[in-house]
Structures are given as structure tokens and as C-alpha cells.
Amino acid sequence: MNIRYISTVLLLTALPVCLLFAQTIDTSATTNLDEVTINALHKKYNIDSVTDLTRAATKLLETPQSIQVISQQAIRDRQAFTLNEIAPLMTGVKTNNGMGSFSMRGFTSYYPFDASFLTFNGIRGNLYLWSQQPLLYNIEQVEVLRGPASALFSEGAPGGIINFTTKKPKAEEQFEFTASYGSWNMMRLAADATGSLTANKKLLYRTIIGYDRSNSFRDYQEVSNLLVAPSLAYHFDKRSALLLEVNYAYAKTVQQYDRGTYVYTRPDGTFDFNYYPNNLTVQSPSDYGKTHNTSVALNFDHQINEDLKLTFVQRYVRSRFDYADHITSGLITNDTIQRGYQDWLYDQYNWQTTAYLNYAIKTGSIQHQVLTGIDYNNYGWLKNDYRFSQARPIHILYPDYRQDPPPGDPSTDYYDDNKQVINLIGAYAQDQISYRHIKLLLSLRYDSYKLLRTPLSDRDSEQGNESDASAWIPRIGLVYTLQNNIAFYGSYTKSFNPQTSNSVRDGGPFPPRTATQYETGVKGSWFNDHLSAMVAAYTIYYNNILAPSPTPDNPNKQVAIDGTSSKGLEATLQGRIKNFSMVLGYALNNHVLRTDNSLGTAGSRFNNAPKHIGNLWFKYELNQGKLTGLGFGIGGRYMSNQVGFLAAQDFLIPASTVLDASLSYARKRWNLQFNMYNMTNARYFNGGNSRTVTASLGDPLHVRVGLGYLIR
């Protein structure tokens, strides 16, 4: 097979598709092949170093913060297609729903309200909107940094960030095709081609195309995704390289949001989470969603000399959607639910410019790794046309949708019609000082933030919002390495996150949300870095969160309160020993309000923050005899109960245990895989949806069969 021919066709197909869709949203030789064994390519479960999260190649053992990396092999073994589907491998990380909301260390994060929550190659600008599950077609590995990360990544939530490392062009020619089929008529196809376009191997390419579609166990829900991701790399010489990555993602759904399932309120006020069948939904068959996401990233690396390196990155992301759907707007009475109707047109953008220098110097026996950089982020939305109106109630068990409003219905009880621009400028300096077994990290960042929201018509309910904020953000860490494979560490970090609701109408302007974390832990690495372990203990104090404080003159008034505290312990063991691969994790977290306020009393549990999360995944693979390449996997996750709605502490989402299994066989160029998820068909819930009438329902028993073909 001629890989170069296939790859060139894919590349020439992918680039125009991406650029065409970017324009629609106003963005400006034959090779003899040797057989290979597919399961020999990706064996690692343990990744011992990162670059994107530290902006310099750094061993995890030497970082004074908790970092976990989910490798490509682990993603493949789980046959995971979205970030949500590999969350069960991440210690202390949970999905809150079937969209893009996650909890880390008890704090809920989702884009765009926590702008640096999800990064790509360490650069801000999430390709996906909050209503989407991020796709993994073009992702090499997923990196989780727990705790405040503002010292490098600017404003963000205190729980941490998740970073996608994308698949890059390679000089070695390779082509891979995968196909999967599963429950609810799920179908997925993907092609990945890479190699050199020139004889001197200076110009490299990679093209990834993926498509999937699926129905659901829920009524009337279905989704389809298309991702096209071409990239080019040019190596001027051994010191300089330029990388261009273009991504286009299109999603079409019958319902943009999965609002969860109904929760029955008993006459005595308690809740029955198993009363209503799985298939029921508040949404209507006429609901829909269409999303277009485009990103372009240009990365330039130049090694000025052996001690000094310059990196410059320019990233642009544009996302827009058009959707209409129904939500719950009132309590259930006699199996009848009150509903609201939303119609939304939205167009969001993000420009991120980043430049930084890495400088290695030595003063006597002391080594310094100095990092300095600047960031400029211009982001917001060009259009936010949101309409809400009350819709007709429906009977839950016998819904009648015939009188639902048609898409574009003009009746409106609430209207947003505005645009928003945020300018965020930051500069930072960091020095990692090494002396024998000790590493001291000192970092300081300054951020200046300015938000301006302006109405596009007199229909806009807010009629403007303007705020400024600035912050000095320190970071201090200390690592002591024992016998080169065990390290003890402690750190002090802070986060900075300006208010998203800051209008005078609401009682603003308010001070930025801030968090301070104290963390200590121990890390270990064995068997030539194939197996690692980490234990971390932390305390986070979160300040200036907003709470309702209505008055007769201003029912929308809010006030900034002292906030919450999150305390916990995390332990992770992952890696591979001979034929045996594993990921084990346990997280203990207690996230509570610190004072009495309108959100609740001191000690009230924060929503979507279970106290205990435990996860494990084991895989055994034969590498001798006639059954070489046969693998067996089993694992699962336990999650204790959690408060689904902060203002209702008795709305406790039940504890759950979900078990999964896999069977795979890899032989030469082929790989066949079978995965079973939730094999006991447990009924479980991911989290609450900000009200006590619905909760996010997890998937019941389902299966996938995948076939992969790889040549190089």
C-alpha cells in the first residue's frame, strides 16, 4: 500500500475543509512497507515527564505539584473517544454531566467560565464549548495538573487544569485506520496518516480525520461529530522548527444538552432517584443543536544556544452554535414538570499569544532553570443572542410534545443580546534552583484583566458590564529527592479568577475570586520509570464567591462571601510491570462552606464534590506462545454520595460503583478489541444540575467492538 499517496490525499482534503469552515465563521513516491506488531507501538502506562504543563521538559518526580498523565496506550485500552470516557482513570476527577463540566478537588470547572481549565499543548483556547464532550481523535496524551495553576496559565479555577497534548507530524511514514461499532447504533471511523513531504525530511505532515454518530438510551437524543485535524512541521535545522496545526470540529445533535433524568420528590420531601425510567427526558424531539469549532495554532521553537531557548505560540479559536431546547423550570407535581424554552445563537472567539524563554545557567555548584514569559489573551464573544420563555408543562410518563414552540419562537420572557471582549495581559518569571538533592521553585506572575460587555440592541437585559482586575500571583515549591527515585515535596500556590457576573445591576463590581493552596506529598518511580506512585495532601481556601443578597429594590443583588475550604488526600499508582498494566487511584475530599451565608450554613457540603472517589484499571497481556497479543482488562470506579444542589443539602446523589472490562487481540498490523462498560448495568448519577428535579444519569450497560489497521 502506498502510504504517501493515501496521506497526501488526506492532507489535501483536510486543509481546504478546515479553511473553508473557518471562512464560514469569518476566520481569516512509493514506499516498501514492513509488517509491524501493533501492540508493540504503545506499551507505556506511565509517562515520567511533561513539557506543556511546565513549559520546559521536566520530570514529574521533580515537580512540586500533583500531575497525572493518561497515556495513549491507556486511552486505547479503554477504547475511549472523549475526555469524559477517560475521567475514570484520573484520580479525584469526575464528570458532572454528559457535557464538558468536570470537578477536580471538589471544584467544578467548565469552559468558558474557567478559561484555562482545558488547554491544548499548554496554550489557552479550548476548541470545544461547555455543552460538548471533548474528542480524542487527535490527542496523544492527557495531562492533569491538580490545584491552582495561575502562576503559568493565568486566571482559572482552583481545582486545576487538564491539558491535551496533540499528535504531531513524524518523519517516519505511518498510516492507521480504526473502525468501531457499539450499543445504541454507535459508529466511529478514524484515519491517521503522517510522514515526510520532502526527501530531506524537513517538511513533515500529519492528517487526522474522524467521524462518529450515535443514538442514546434516552428518548429522541442523538449526536454526530466530525473532526478534521491536519498539521505541518518544518525543521529549518536542528535548532529551529515551525509547527502549524489546524482543527475543525462539527457537531450536530437532536438535543445540544443532556439535561439528565427526573428525580421524584416523595410526599415527605425525600428523594427517590430510581422512580422514573432511564429513557425519559424533559427535552422535545424538535430540539436541536449545531456547533462549528475551528482552531489554528502556530508554534515556533528556536534554540538560540545550548542554554537558551525561545518559544513563540499564536493560537486562534472560533466556536459558534445554534441550538434550541427545553429545560426544567419548576418542581414536579403529580408527575407533571414545569418547563422553559431556550433559543440561543452564540459566536465565541479566543486569540492567545504566548512567548517565553528557557535559560539554563550555573553559579558554582548551584544550577538555575530560568523561565520568563509574556501572555496576551483577547477573548470573548461576537454574538450572544439568548432567549428564554416559559413553555407548556408536560406529563413526565406520558409526554405530549405537539404544542411545543417551534424553533425560533419569538415569545420571550428573558433576552440577552450582547457582545463581550476580555483583554488579559500577563508576565511571569520563574527560577528552579537545584543544589544536590534539593530543588527550590520560585515564581511570580502579574496579570491585568479588563472586561467590556456591550448590548447589541435594547432587548439586552443587562445593558452593559465593565470590570477591571489585576493580581500578583506567587508560587513556591520545594522538592527533596532521595536516592534519585523518591521525592518529597511541598508547595504554595494561588489562583486568580475575575468575576463573570460583575454588573452594577447585580451589585457589582466584585473583587476577583482567589484561592490559596498548601500541598505536600511524596512521589516515587521504579522499574526504569515504568511504574510510578504519588501521594498528595492539600488544603485550598477559596474566597470571594458570589451569593444571593436580594433587596426589595434589587432582587438580583449579590455579595462576595468568604467562600469555601477544600481539604483532601490523593494517591495514585500507575504503570506497567512486564505483561501487567495498571492505573489505581483514591481521592478523599471535603469541600465545605466556611461561613453562614445565603448559600447555606458553615460546614455545608459543596455540590458535585463526593468525599470518596476510588478507581482502578488492570490489563494483562500475553507476549509468548500462540496467543501472543491477547489481552484482558478489568476495572471500575467507586464514588460516594454527593450533594447535587448546594442550597438543598438533603438532595444527596447516591453512591455508585461502575465496573468495566475489555478483551483485545493484536496481531501484526491488526488489532481487534471488545469493551464492555458498566457491565453490571448499575443505575448511577454523575452529578446534579443546579436544581432538585433532575440529575445527570450515567450510561447503562453498553459495548463497543473496534478494529484497527496500522502500517508503517
Side-chain angles (χ1 to χ4, degrees):
M1 179 178 293
N2 192 326
I3 302 178
R4 184 170 296 173
Y5 173 76
I6 297 174
S7 304
T8 303
V9 170
L10 286 173
L11 180 67
L12 293 176
T13 301
L15 275 170
V17 169
C18 288
L19 296 176
L20 173 63
F21 280 107
Q23 185 178 20
T24 63
I25 58 174
D26 300 325
T27 62
S28 330
T30 303
T31 303
N32 294 323
L33 303 172
D34 296 324
E35 287 190 350
V36 297
T37 303
I38 191 169
N39 71 329
L41 295 178
H42 305 279
K43 287 290 187 183
K44 297 185 73 172
Y45 259 46
N46 185 55
I47 307 297
D48 63 342
S49 64
V50 293
T51 300
D52 296 341
L53 288 178
T54 55
R55 297 195 172 169
T58 309
K59 282 187 169 293
L60 295 182
L61 202 68
E62 299 174 354
T63 58
Q65 205 161 347
S66 173
I67 298 176
Q68 182 186 11
V69 182
I70 306 302
S71 69
Q72 176 66 200
Q73 179 62 42
I75 295 172
R76 288 172 179 261
D77 287 346
R78 293 281 300 180
Q79 204 173 169
F81 301 158
T82 68
L83 179 62
N84 301 56
E85 293 176 347
I86 58 169
L89 297 179
M90 302 176 187
T91 302
V93 179
K94 64 173 284 287
T95 60
N96 293 327
N97 50 41
M99 299 177 282
S101 174
F102 296 80
S103 285
M104 303 170 63
R105 293 193 166 175
F107 294 92
T108 292
S109 297
Y110 58 98
Y111 190 83
F113 303 106
D114 300 299
S116 62
F117 156 64
L118 192 63
T119 60
F120 283 73
N121 300 313
I123 303 300
R124 290 157 59 99
N126 186 3
L127 179 65
Y128 302 98
L129 291 170
W130 60 90
S131 58
Q132 298 179 277
Q133 295 190 22
L135 304 174
L136 300 178
Y137 287 106
N138 62 328
I139 303 305
E140 181 65 31
Q141 65 188 37
V142 178
E143 303 162 355
V144 184
L145 187 154
R146 302 180 184 88
S150 291
L152 279 185
F153 298 98
S154 190
E155 51 100 14
I161 67 172
I162 296 176
N163 179 65
F164 281 151
T165 297
T166 58
K167 297 177 179 178
K168 306 296 193 302
K170 297 180 180 180
E172 179 188 46
E173 291 189 348
Q174 180 177 299
F175 174 76
E176 183 176 12
F177 176 79
T178 58
S180 302
Y181 185 79
S183 301
W184 311 310
N185 199 29
M186 186 284 300
M187 182 268 290
R188 183 181 191 261
L189 302 170
D192 179 0
T194 189
S196 176
L197 292 173
T198 58
N200 60 9
K201 298 187 182 298
K202 285 191 171 185
L203 181 61
L204 312 178
Y205 72 91
R206 190 157 194 166
T207 304
I208 298 169
I209 299 176
Y211 171 79
D212 62 77
R213 68 161 307 280
S214 178
N215 295 327
S216 172
F217 66 96
R218 311 286 301 285
D219 289 343
Y220 315 117
Q221 295 191 2
E222 64 182 54
V223 62
S224 59
N225 292 290
L226 170 68
L227 177 76
V228 185
S231 56
L232 291 170
Y234 186 75
H235 295 265
F236 299 93
D237 50 40
K238 292 183 179 180
R239 292 179 175 268
S240 303
L242 188 68
L243 173 66
L244 172 67
E245 292 183 288
V246 180
N247 291 170
Y248 171 72
Y250 171 71
K252 181 180 179 182
T253 64
V254 171
Q255 296 164 351
Q256 180 78 8
Y257 289 90
D258 181 353
R259 295 293 179 180
T261 192
Y262 303 105
V263 177
Y264 178 70
T265 305
R266 300 186 182 99
D268 62 359
T270 60
F271 301 97
D272 186 344
F273 284 81
N274 297 313
Y275 183 85
Y276 294 111
N278 285 1
N279 64 297
L280 300 177
T281 172
V282 69
Q283 293 162 305
S284 171
S286 62
D287 294 346
Y288 69 91
K290 297 178 182 179
T291 306
H292 299 263
N293 304 322
T294 304
S295 71
V296 180
L298 187 66
N299 189 103
F300 176 70
D301 285 307
H302 178 55
Q303 191 75 43
I304 300 172
N305 56 48
E306 63 180 15
D307 298 321
L308 184 62
K309 181 181 179 181
L310 168 69
T311 299
F312 174 83
V313 183
Q314 180 67 65
R315 179 174 171 81
Y316 179 70
V317 182
R318 188 79 172 272
S319 301
R320 66 173 184 174
F321 71 56
D322 173 10
Y323 96 87
D325 81 340
H326 289 76
I327 62 172
T328 57
S329 63
L331 295 177
I332 299 169
T333 56
N334 298 323
D335 288 334
T336 298
I337 185 71
Q338 302 295 324
R339 297 188 304 158
Y341 176 68
Q342 302 178 116
D343 197 327
W344 203 350
L345 293 171
Y346 184 75
D347 189 351
Q348 176 179 287
Y349 74 97
N350 188 308
W351 281 101
Q352 173 72 32
T353 303
T354 294
Y356 54 91
L357 284 167
N358 275 289
Y359 186 34
I361 57 175
K362 191 173 183 179
T363 55
S365 59
I366 300 176
Q367 295 180 329
H368 298 263
Q369 185 67 46
V370 179
L371 172 68
T372 61
I374 56 173
D375 298 313
Y376 172 64
N377 195 198
N378 174 264
Y379 63 104
W381 55 75
L382 303 174
K383 184 182 186 65
N384 177 35
D385 187 344
Y386 173 82
R387 287 165 282 177
F388 174 84
S389 59
Q390 290 294 332
R392 290 179 178 272
I394 59 170
H395 194 281
I396 294 173
L397 299 174
Y398 308 103
D400 182 357
Y401 302 107
R402 289 176 296 179
Q403 298 188 51
D404 282 347
D409 180 68
S411 62
T412 302
D413 297 318
Y414 177 89
Y415 214 121
D416 277 333
D417 187 17
N418 53 56
K419 64 178 181 179
Q420 178 171 292
V421 177
I422 297 174
N423 284 288
L424 181 60
I425 301 174
Y428 57 91
Q430 175 179 290
D431 188 7
Q432 182 169 281
I433 305 166
S434 301
Y435 177 71
R436 295 185 178 179
H437 297 287
I438 298 174
K439 292 185 182 294
L440 174 64
L441 181 70
L442 301 173
S443 180
L444 183 64
R445 180 187 184 96
Y446 177 77
D447 266 352
S448 176
Y449 171 99
K450 183 176 180 61
L451 176 149
L452 179 63
R453 185 180 304 164
T454 55
L456 294 176
S457 73
D458 57 6
R459 300 173 300 181
D460 185 58
S461 60
E462 195 169 284
Q463 289 299 303
N465 187 350
E466 183 173 358
S467 64
D468 300 297
S470 61
W472 289 96
I473 308 165
R475 181 189 183 202
I476 302 173
L478 182 66
V479 179
Y480 178 77
T481 305
L482 181 67
Q483 298 179 349
N484 295 323
N485 71 320
I486 298 176
F488 300 88
Y489 74 92
S491 63
Y492 166 84
T493 54
K494 294 183 74 70
S495 71
F496 159 73
N497 203 1
Q499 304 287 353
T500 55
S501 175
N502 215 17
S503 67
V504 174
R505 183 199 68 166
D506 295 331
F510 303 105
R513 291 165 287 167
T514 61
T516 301
Q517 174 182 269
Y518 303 91
E519 180 177 326
T520 185
V522 59
K523 303 179 182 182
S525 181
W526 300 273
F527 303 104
N528 294 321
D529 293 327
H530 289 297
L531 181 70
S532 68
M534 177 179 62
V535 178
Y538 61 88
T539 298
I540 303 173
Y541 296 107
Y542 191 36
N543 300 308
N544 298 329
I545 65 174
L546 299 185
S549 181
T551 65
D553 296 334
N554 187 359
N556 300 309
K557 185 180 178 182
Q558 297 175 295
V559 294
I561 62 173
D562 288 343
T564 67
S565 67
S566 176
K567 300 179 181 181
L569 177 73
E570 295 164 343
T572 304
L573 176 68
Q574 70 180 62
R576 182 181 177 94
I577 304 175
K578 294 185 177 179
N579 303 12
F580 196 64
S581 300
M582 71 196 78
V583 180
L584 293 86
Y586 169 72
L588 168 67
N589 175 261
N590 186 35
H591 187 190
V592 298
L593 289 175
R594 300 203 323 254
T595 60
D596 295 345
N597 51 68
S598 59
L599 295 176
T601 59
S604 294
R605 294 173 59 185
F606 218 67
N607 55 301
N608 293 323
K611 288 187 176 181
H612 305 277
I613 300 178
N615 61 278
L616 58 87
W617 175 255
F618 298 102
K619 183 186 178 184
Y620 183 80
E621 188 174 15
L622 300 173
N623 61 7
Q624 295 181 7
K626 294 182 179 180
L627 295 179
T628 296
L630 183 64
F632 309 88
I634 190 166
R637 166 168 280 204
Y638 168 79
M639 188 161 57
S640 64
N641 66 24
Q642 56 185 307
V643 173
F645 187 38
L646 178 59
Q649 290 287 299
D650 59 344
F651 187 63
L652 285 177
I653 294 174
S656 61
T657 301
V658 180
L659 300 177
D660 306 319
S662 72
L663 177 66
S664 61
Y665 181 66
R667 190 71 174 178
K668 296 183 178 179
R669 298 177 176 176
W670 296 93
N671 184 69
L672 180 64
Q673 187 161 331
F674 173 80
N675 287 77
M676 179 181 294
Y677 309 92
N678 191 7
M679 58 185 184
T680 63
N681 200 29
R683 195 170 198 261
Y684 71 100
F685 298 85
N686 293 307
N689 286 328
S690 301
R691 48 179 61 89
T692 58
V693 291
T694 62
S696 176
L697 185 64
D699 292 342
L701 169 69
H702 60 292
V703 299
R704 286 176 184 167
V705 177
L707 181 66
Y709 180 72
L710 174 68
I711 53 176
R712 67 175 180 178

